[in-house]
Amino acid sequence: MIDNKALSPEAWFHTKRALACVEALNKVGFTAVYAATREEAVKTVLDAVSEGSTVGIGGSVTVRELGLPEALKQKRCKVFDHWDQSLSPEERGRTRYSQIVADVFLSSTNAVTMKGTLINIDGFGNRVASIMFGPKTTIIVCGYNKIVDDVDQGLARIWNYAGPINYKRLGREIDDTLSEVEKAKLFACTTILSAKPGGKEKFLVVIVGEKLGY
């Protein structure tokens, strides 16, 4: 039970919006929950993953801000993380393939709409592929800052905000010097999930009452 009287006006607004988003996600087949804090979000994810499971982790700042790769290893899970700096380029490629056959795939999303639609864009496609297919369980963790009104707003958020920031993080820039073809190649794989994919036994979406990731 959330005590609205104890919330600041800004927290009240984001909480109300997040809860409505959770309700919409549940209506279209996802298993969605609200976690008020980062700590609650981490506990929710760890409770959903069995000890010793294999877990693929997509390219996600959110997941790493929460310290989930390390927490899962402490739970004796085998973690496939292609962001591991100790991996060679060949090992990173193999790790991406391992993610799609893992027991669980863990990631964030680029945007989630108030109608319960998940929007994601990838360059390689490994993240969107594993979100939709492969592992029997997908877990998405998403800060309130990624909630948008509709698909058009979600795509605009990715193209104009999340995408440029992520590419700057990788040491690259998206600017007017790039042609439309070059820009398209950066976001080659676009997926819009309006309901839980049929091949998934469980698709958990954790909406967090804090700002996370891009």
Side-chain angles (χ1 to χ4, degrees):
M1 187 75 176
I2 297 172
D3 183 2
N4 287 328
K5 293 181 180 179
L7 298 175
S8 68
E10 184 178 7
W12 166 82
F13 174 81
H14 289 302
T15 300
K16 181 179 179 181
R17 190 170 169 85
L19 290 173
C21 184
V22 164
E23 183 178 355
L25 286 160
N26 280 308
K27 284 182 179 178
V28 293
F30 297 104
T31 301
V33 297
Y34 176 70
T37 65
R38 295 174 181 229
E39 292 76 17
E40 286 182 30
V42 170
K43 184 180 185 304
T44 300
V45 172
L46 294 179
D47 286 347
V49 179
S50 299
E51 184 175 327
S53 297
T54 55
V55 182
I57 297 183
S60 166
V61 171
T62 294
V63 168
R64 288 153 182 93
E65 283 181 344
L66 294 173
L68 283 167
E70 295 76 16
L72 288 164
K73 290 174 185 176
Q74 290 176 7
K75 198 170 181 177
R76 294 192 289 183
C77 293
K78 173 65 175 176
V79 174
F80 300 115
D81 181 6
H82 64 278
W83 278 16
D84 183 342
Q85 294 301 305
S86 69
L87 299 179
S88 67
E90 293 76 16
E91 289 171 328
R92 286 195 183 94
R94 290 195 294 270
T95 298
R96 286 187 174 98
Y97 282 108
S98 296
Q99 291 167 357
I100 204 167
V101 294
D103 299 319
V104 178
F105 187 70
L106 171 64
S107 186
S108 188
T109 187
N110 294 125
V112 56
T113 77
M114 292 296 291
K115 291 186 177 180
T117 299
L118 300 176
I119 308 166
N120 287 284
I121 290 180
D122 265 3
F124 280 86
N126 60 294
R127 183 174 64 96
V128 295
S130 297
I131 285 174
M132 296 186 299
F133 184 74
K136 294 300 182 184
T137 297
T138 288
I139 302 175
I140 297 293
V141 188
C142 175
Y144 72 73
N145 49 303
K146 296 184 179 182
I147 299 174
V148 296
D149 290 334
D150 52 35
V151 170
D152 285 343
Q153 193 177 95
L155 290 171
R157 179 186 189 279
I158 295 166
W159 277 96
N160 300 323
Y161 176 72
I165 289 178
N166 269 302
Y167 271 85
K168 183 64 176 177
R169 175 181 58 81
L170 296 171
R172 291 173 278 179
E173 292 190 32
I174 301 173
D175 54 36
D176 293 337
T177 64
L178 295 179
S179 69
E180 290 303 313
V181 172
E182 288 172 322
K183 287 181 181 179
K185 287 180 179 178
L186 296 178
F187 304 113
C189 308
T190 303
T191 62
I192 297 172
L193 278 181
S194 56
K196 181 179 80 69
K200 294 286 180 178
E201 292 180 359
K202 184 174 183 179
F203 199 122
L204 173 64
V205 182
V206 183
I207 304 294
V208 188
E210 295 191 31
K211 182 180 184 298
L212 290 167
Y214 308 135

